[in-house]
Structure formats: C-alpha cells, structure tokens
Amino acid sequence: MKKIALHWQILIGIVGGILVGLLCIQFTGGKEFVIDWIKPFGTIFINLLKLIAIPLIIVSLIKGVSDLKDTTQLSGLGLRTFGMYILTTIIAVTIGLGLVNLIQPGSFISEDTRQEMLRSFGGEVQEKVDEAAEVQQTRGPLQPLIDIVPENIFDSMSVNSNMLQIIFFSLLVGVAMISLPFGEIKAFKKVLDAGNAIVLKIVDLMMLFAPYGVFALIATLIAEAPSFDVFKALGMYAFTVVLGLLLLVYGVYSLFVYFFGKMNPFRFFKAILPAQLLGFSTSSSAATLPVTMECAEENLHIRKDVLSFVLPIGATINMDGTCLYQGVAAVFIAQVMGHDLTTAQQLSIIVTATLASIGAAAVPGAGILMLVIVLESIGISPAGIALIFAVDRPLDMLRTATNISGDSMVALLMDRSSRDSAEP
C-alpha cells in the first residue's frame, strides 16, 4: 500500500487528538488521564525536535555559507534576506493594527468577563511581567547587540534560546572558511557534509514519531483548555488575530510568491504544509526548523546554500505572525482598559514589535514576553495580558505556522533572486 504523506499523517494526528481530548473531558478523571498518560509523549516529541535544532543550525549554516563562492555573495544574500524579513514584519504588524482598529474587539467584552479573566490568569501573568521587567532593568540600549556575540560558544549551545549567538558563531566559521584556500578546509568540508547527512537522517527518524507526538500535543491542549465561556467572550479578539494571519499568509505571501517567487501559490502552500502543521502543533519555529528545511529542499527545490542560510536566521528574527498578534493584542488590551491610543503610540507599536521580534526566542510563549515590552512602550499596564491569556496557546500555534510560512516564502524569493542574478 502506498505510504501516506507526512502532512496527512500529521493532520490525522491533529484530528485524532481533538477527538480524544473532547472525549476525555466528558468523563470524570479524563483530564488527569490525558495529563498523566498522553501529555508525556507530546513533551518527548518536543524535546526530540529541540534536541536536533542546534546541531542542525550549526552544521547547515556553516555548510551553507562555506558553499558560497566569496564574502561578496554572502553579504548580498544577507542584506537581501534581512531587508525582506524586516519588510514583511512591518507589513504584518500594520495589518494587525488596521484590523483591530476596524473591528474594535475590545468593545465586545463585558465587565464581568474582564474581571473573571483578571482573577483567573492574573497570577500567571504577573510572573511573566516580573520576568520581563527584571530583564529590562539590567539592559542598556546596545544590550541586544552585546547579546549576539557569545563569550563561550559551548555555553551558548547548552540553551536553545541562544539562537542568535549560535548563528553568529556559525556565520563566523563559514566566513573564515570561504576566506581560506580550499585545500586548507577540504578535510573539514568533508566532516561538515557527513555531519549534515547524519543530522538529516536523524530528522527523518524523528518524523516517524511526528503523528503520535502531534496527537498527544493536541489532546493535551483540549484537555487543559479553560471554560468555553471565556473563549466565547474573547471570540472577537481571536477572530481579529486569525483574520489578520489569514490575510498575511494567503494574501500578502501569495502575492510575493506569485510575482517575485514566480511560483503558483497553491503549489507553494502544498509544499510547506507539513512544516505548517508541525509548527501549528509545536508552537516553536526552532523545533520545526528541520522539517521546514526538508520541505524547502525537497518540495520547493530551493538551493541548499540558500535555505541553509535563510531559514535558520528566519527562525530567529522573522516573527511576522507574532508581530501581527502584538499589534492586535496591544490595542485590544488598551480598548478594554479604556485607553484611546494616539497615532504616535500605534506607530510606536510597529517599531517596538519589529525590534522586539529580532532575537526573540523561537519557542512557545515567547510572544507573551515580547508583548510586555510592547505594552510598556505605550504606557499600558502589562497586567492586561491576563485578558488574553486564555486563548494565547491556540493563537500561538497559528502564529507559529505563519512565522514558518514567512520563512519559507523569503527563502523562495532569495533562491529566485540568486538564480536570476546568476543568469547571463
């Protein structure tokens, strides 16, 4: 029998997880059963993906840079990639601000619901606020620049949140390699090629477990979800975010893919569907990176040297979905609390969300910490995050899938532009 494609296997896992989660919460003790006996398999799957993320970035990025002909080619690709990521981020947060001002979701929430959510999630939010405040107090204006350069690369490799430091080191090694005569690096290139093949094979083995891991993650999400009344009260806010994400992915990205990537958008989205589904399930761009790279190479036929450079960087600095959510969430919280934001404050959201997205950890929940920074920049109390905490997890899943789509789109555009420039 013909093997079922990966994206269908993952989709079956998602549907199965929803059904099992809904079934379990109907029975006494069902939630505890999911947490004790199903949730651990989802955690194991996420740990497996995180396990290979750093080795994959190091090997693929060094190999991708060293495969370039010279530093001029690297600087050209780097500037185009970074510029494209910043452009799409600004477009994303602008769409979010436009929709939230048009729909006004803050006017749909009742006072009773507001107080209920503040009581339910206030303590958990305060922990996030305190964590972000502690970090911000010790940071100078150039601290983000300092954070890029590691003092000990082995220490940086011990934590997945230090992606920018790992990328910096990998770029440094790659630049050094293309600056040396080939004879001096030939042996190390062979080691890199072998390491890359080994890492990709590990990814293939991990993907055998993907449908089961996704099943466990979705079943757990359903079992741990708050009451339906809270979701109903936040429906308009969630609708605004989802509508913005759909417009960004299937509107803006489709236009870029068609006009600049010279590809049918339907073919593009079909090619990256496994990565989108896995990103939706894990809520982590970094954890999904192995599958994103596999889809880019095998389904989109993007050159290895391009995707090895563009995608690892995108997983760290390109947070289009998260930035769109920042804009919607910040204005929504302001609306609920009775604050009428000025044009200058909303422009501040665009700038702050864009800058905060660069270097944000590509892990679940990073958007909440970013939102604290955005709210502080416009003078809104971060305690208002409690109002949206109930639906943050499912929206986090959607914006991660958006982030991954944006990474893949930019990789396609960079591949197309490099091919066009190489043609006589």
Side-chain angles (χ1 to χ4, degrees):
M1 186 175 67
K2 187 177 180 182
K3 183 181 177 183
I4 302 176
L6 177 63
H7 62 275
W8 288 116
Q9 294 181 40
I10 294 175
L11 198 56
I12 291 170
I14 291 173
V15 173
I18 292 172
L19 294 176
V20 169
L22 291 173
L23 181 64
C24 286
I25 60 176
Q26 303 302 318
F27 300 97
T28 304
K31 178 178 178 179
E32 290 72 19
F33 173 80
V34 171
I35 293 173
D36 291 339
W37 297 100
I38 297 179
K39 184 177 180 178
F41 293 101
T43 304
I44 289 171
F45 179 56
I46 294 246
N47 289 345
L48 280 172
L49 292 170
K50 289 180 178 179
L51 170 69
I52 202 61
I54 288 178
L56 178 68
I57 286 179
I58 292 174
V59 174
S60 63
L61 196 51
I62 294 176
K63 185 179 185 303
V65 174
S66 64
D67 285 343
L68 298 173
K69 294 177 182 178
D70 52 43
T71 52
T72 304
Q73 189 177 358
L74 171 63
S75 62
L77 178 61
L79 287 173
R80 292 197 307 272
T81 300
F82 188 76
M84 194 65 202
Y85 281 147
I86 293 298
L87 174 63
T88 56
T89 298
I90 293 173
I91 291 173
V93 70
T94 303
I95 290 174
L97 288 174
L99 287 176
V100 74
N101 281 288
L102 179 67
I103 297 173
Q104 296 279 327
S107 62
F108 288 84
I109 194 167
S110 68
E111 180 63 28
D112 290 341
T113 302
R114 178 190 306 139
Q115 294 303 323
E116 178 190 345
M117 288 186 290
L118 286 170
R119 285 194 302 269
S120 300
F121 300 100
E124 195 170 352
V125 167
Q126 192 59 47
E127 291 180 12
K128 298 283 187 181
V129 172
D130 292 343
E131 182 182 344
E134 184 179 345
V135 172
Q136 288 300 110
Q137 286 173 0
T138 59
R139 294 172 69 88
L142 294 181
Q143 190 61 42
L145 193 62
I146 296 173
D147 291 341
I148 294 175
V149 184
E151 60 181 37
N152 186 329
I153 188 59
F154 296 103
D155 185 50
S156 299
M157 288 191 291
S158 67
V159 184
N160 273 23
S161 59
N162 293 329
M163 288 297 184
L164 270 183
Q165 296 182 355
I166 295 166
I167 287 174
F168 175 82
F169 174 77
S170 301
L171 288 174
L172 199 60
V173 174
V175 169
M177 288 180 68
I178 59 178
S179 303
L180 291 168
F182 182 74
E184 295 183 21
I185 63 168
K186 184 177 180 181
F188 188 59
K189 283 277 287 181
K190 288 185 177 180
V191 172
L192 275 178
D193 291 340
N196 189 59
I198 291 169
V199 168
L200 292 179
K201 178 51 67 175
I202 292 174
V203 171
D204 288 340
L205 294 174
M206 287 180 177
M207 285 306 100
L208 297 176
F209 185 61
Y212 308 101
V214 167
F215 165 82
L217 290 168
I218 298 298
T220 304
L221 175 70
I222 298 296
E224 293 183 335
S227 68
F228 178 73
D229 289 340
V230 175
F231 279 117
K232 186 169 65 174
L234 290 172
M236 289 308 297
Y237 160 72
F239 169 76
T240 305
V241 175
V242 172
L243 178 61
L245 295 177
L246 290 174
L247 286 174
L248 178 65
V249 175
Y250 297 105
V252 176
Y253 290 170
S254 292
L255 292 174
F256 276 114
V257 167
Y258 183 77
F259 288 106
F260 301 105
K262 300 177 183 177
M263 178 180 287
N264 186 319
F266 178 79
R267 180 190 161 200
F268 171 78
F269 289 115
K270 182 180 179 182
I272 66 169
L273 185 58
Q276 285 181 316
L277 291 174
L278 195 61
F280 174 81
S281 306
T282 63
S283 298
S284 172
S285 302
T288 312
L289 183 59
V291 179
T292 309
M293 296 180 73
E294 191 172 40
C295 290
E297 182 178 10
E298 296 184 4
N299 300 343
L300 293 176
H301 307 293
I302 297 174
R303 283 168 36 204
K304 197 76 172 284
D305 58 328
V306 173
L307 69 89
S308 296
F309 176 82
V310 176
L311 291 178
I313 292 178
T316 304
I317 71 170
N318 187 45
M319 300 284 176
D320 292 350
T322 305
C323 283
L324 186 148
Y325 143 84
Q326 305 287 322
V328 175
V331 177
F332 170 73
I333 292 171
Q335 289 172 353
V336 171
M337 292 186 165
H339 295 280
D340 189 14
L341 297 181
T342 64
T343 302
Q345 285 176 310
Q346 300 211 26
L347 289 174
S348 175
I349 292 174
I350 295 177
V351 175
T352 309
T354 302
L355 294 177
S357 70
I358 299 174
V363 295
I368 287 290
L369 293 177
M370 288 171 59
L371 184 55
V372 171
I373 299 172
V374 173
L375 289 173
E376 291 281 12
S377 73
I378 56 174
I380 302 295
S381 171
I385 294 174
L387 299 169
I388 62 170
F389 216 80
V391 291
D392 184 69
R393 178 62 176 175
L395 292 179
D396 193 11
M397 299 163 77
L398 289 169
R399 59 185 185 252
T400 300
T402 301
N403 294 342
I404 290 165
S405 303
D407 295 345
S408 302
M409 183 270 293
V410 173
L412 175 68
L413 266 56
M414 294 304 103
D415 179 68
R416 174 59 62 185
S417 66
S418 61
R419 290 179 191 270
D420 290 345
S421 61
E423 292 176 0

